[in-house]
């Protein structure tokens, strides 16, 4: 009996948890729906809660070093306390809200290199937390984000990778503790002046904030520098603008201000 109690305290023979998503695809500001299946083990337990958390990998700069860490950025409890008898099955439906600032992981059916995203299920029994299930999630761009991406592709930019940086962008309304940078190789017409272009989206329910950073090539007598552009896209009027023309104009103006030409 003592051995059995010891094994129970260690979690042996305890409940198991599995989450099944109705659809692993979503957009920022949308929802993930599904059911959490909790199966009782070989003894009855008091479950404190079952929670879901949206997690991803974030890069953190610390002094001269850089490392990656797992970051939970949205959390939702789907149950309060309940008694789970031995062998009993408990099914919990859920509707999980996806934050508007959630990073994009997939574009035009292709996974964005460098991105990871998952919905983690957490079950607590007697102050012992079991993070036993992680389901991959694909986050697709909003229509307004698609318009900006399409414009860059029309100009000839090519995706390279994406990452998440811990921190906040100055002057931008931001609620999450990190932001996404989607990196592009320069289009041929800008290649002599630009090393790389980085794109950041910060979405809200009403509008999309867009931040562009270009890494400029240095000349014989000039040092390469970064330049930033920031603008806001209104969801209601996004289709009324030729974004390729707008972006091309900003890029050329920014490059020429630094004395660099095509």
């Amino acid at each position: 009996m003592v051995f059995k109690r010891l094994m129970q305290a260690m979690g042996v023979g305890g409940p198991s948890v599995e989450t099944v998503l109705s659809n692993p695809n979503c957009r920022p500001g949308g929802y993930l729906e599904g059911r959490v299946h909790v199966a009782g083990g070989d003894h009855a337990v008091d479950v404190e809660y079952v929670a879901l958390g949206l997690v991803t990998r974030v890069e953190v700069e610390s002094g001269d070093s850089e490392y990656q860490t797992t970051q939970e950025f949205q959390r939702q409890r789907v149950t309060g306390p309940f008694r789970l008898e031995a062998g009993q099955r408990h099914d919990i439906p859920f509707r999980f809200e996806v934050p508007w600032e959630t990073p994009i992981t997939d574009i035009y059916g292709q996974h964005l290199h460098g991105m990871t995203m998952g919905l983690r299920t957490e079950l607590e029994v007697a102050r012992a937390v079991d993070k036993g299930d992680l389901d991959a999630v694909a986050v697709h761009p909003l229509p307004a984000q698609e318009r900006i991406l399409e414009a860059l592709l029309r100009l000839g930019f090519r995706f390279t990778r994406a990452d998440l940086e811990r921190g906040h962008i100055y002057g931008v309304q931001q609620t999450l503790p990190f932001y996404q940078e989607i990196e592009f190789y320069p289009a041929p017409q800008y290649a002599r002046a630009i090393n790389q272009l980085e794109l950041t989206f910060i979405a809200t329910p009403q509008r999309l904030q867009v931040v562009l950073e270009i890494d400029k090539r240095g000349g014989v007598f000039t040092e390469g520098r970064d330049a930033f552009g920031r603008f806001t896209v209104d969801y209601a009027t996004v289709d009324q603008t030729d974004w390729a023309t707008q972006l091309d104009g900003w890029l050329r103006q920014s490059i020429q201000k630094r004395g660099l030409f095509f």
Side-chain angles (χ1 to χ4, degrees), residues 217-232:
R217 295 186 186 277
V220 177
F221 302 107
T222 60
E223 181 181 336
R225 295 184 179 179
D226 293 344
F228 294 87
R230 184 183 299 121
F231 57 91
T232 300

Side-chain angles (χ1 to χ4, degrees), residues 3-62:
F3 178 73
K4 184 176 181 179
R5 288 177 180 171
L6 176 62
M7 295 294 282
Q8 290 177 5
M10 294 171 61
V12 177
S16 62
V17 63
E18 178 187 13
T19 297
V20 178
L21 290 167
S22 301
N23 185 348
N25 300 283
C26 65
R27 293 180 189 266
Y31 295 90
L32 289 164
E33 297 182 321
R35 303 182 77 86
V36 179
H37 303 302
V38 182
D42 59 14
H43 55 275
V45 295
D46 291 314
V47 176
E48 298 295 328
Y49 66 82
V50 176
L52 298 171
L54 205 52
V55 298
T56 188
R57 298 290 290 172
V58 176
E59 291 189 4
V60 181
E61 291 187 5
S62 178

Side-chain angles (χ1 to χ4, degrees), residues 14-254:
S16 62
V17 63
E18 178 187 13
T19 297
V20 178
L21 290 167
S22 301
N23 185 348
N25 300 283
C26 65
R27 293 180 189 266
Y31 295 90
L32 289 164
E33 297 182 321
R35 303 182 77 86
V36 179
H37 303 302
V38 182
D42 59 14
H43 55 275
V45 295
D46 291 314
V47 176
E48 298 295 328
Y49 66 82
V50 176
L52 298 171
L54 205 52
V55 298
T56 188
R57 298 290 290 172
V58 176
E59 291 189 4
V60 181
E61 291 187 5
S62 178
D64 295 330
S65 64
E66 190 175 274
Y67 64 92
Q68 283 198 337
T69 185
T70 299
Q71 173 87 54
E72 180 182 88
F73 62 96
Q74 179 76 338
R75 184 178 178 82
Q76 178 180 321
R77 285 198 180 191
V78 295
T79 73
F82 65 93
R83 179 74 171 179
L84 186 67
E85 299 296 336
Q88 182 185 6
R89 185 181 179 89
H90 196 63
D91 290 344
I92 309 156
F94 67 84
R95 193 169 192 250
F96 185 92
E97 185 175 349
V98 178
W100 281 93
E101 292 179 27
T102 299
I104 297 167
T105 65
D106 289 70
I107 300 176
Y108 307 121
Q110 298 295 317
H111 183 74
L112 200 53
H113 178 66
M115 290 303 304
T116 59
M117 188 74 61
L119 188 67
R120 183 170 61 192
T121 308
E122 183 177 290
L123 179 145
E124 179 175 331
V125 177
R127 295 179 296 278
V129 177
D130 177 18
K131 299 179 180 180
D133 199 21
L134 182 66
D135 294 86
V137 170
V139 184
H140 301 270
L142 294 163
Q145 293 170 327
E146 288 181 342
R147 298 297 176 271
I148 304 302
L149 292 166
E150 288 168 358
L152 290 172
L153 294 178
R154 281 173 54 199
L155 290 172
F157 286 89
R158 293 176 293 130
F159 296 118
T160 57
R161 65 184 306 276
D163 61 19
L164 303 180
E165 302 282 343
R166 179 172 289 180
H168 289 78
I169 301 174
Y170 178 77
V172 174
Q173 179 187 351
Q174 181 184 340
T175 60
L176 294 184
F178 58 81
Y179 56 90
Q180 182 179 36
E181 290 183 338
I182 304 174
E183 300 174 5
F184 296 82
Y185 289 123
Q189 65 269 33
Y190 313 108
R192 290 178 57 193
I194 298 177
N195 281 319
Q196 179 178 269
L197 182 142
E198 294 178 348
L199 168 67
T200 296
F201 291 126
I202 306 291
T204 73
Q206 296 79 29
R207 63 190 63 87
L208 177 68
Q209 300 169 96
V210 182
V211 180
L212 291 171
E213 178 182 355
I214 56 175
D215 178 13
K216 297 178 180 177
R217 295 186 186 277
V220 177
F221 302 107
T222 60
E223 181 181 336
R225 295 184 179 179
D226 293 344
F228 294 87
R230 184 183 299 121
F231 57 91
T232 300
V233 179
D234 189 281
Y235 297 139
T237 59
V238 63
D239 292 328
Q240 299 175 16
T241 300
D242 182 344
W243 291 107
T245 299
Q246 291 280 97
L247 292 172
D248 178 66
W250 177 79
L251 288 167
R252 291 177 180 275
Q253 182 182 47
S254 178

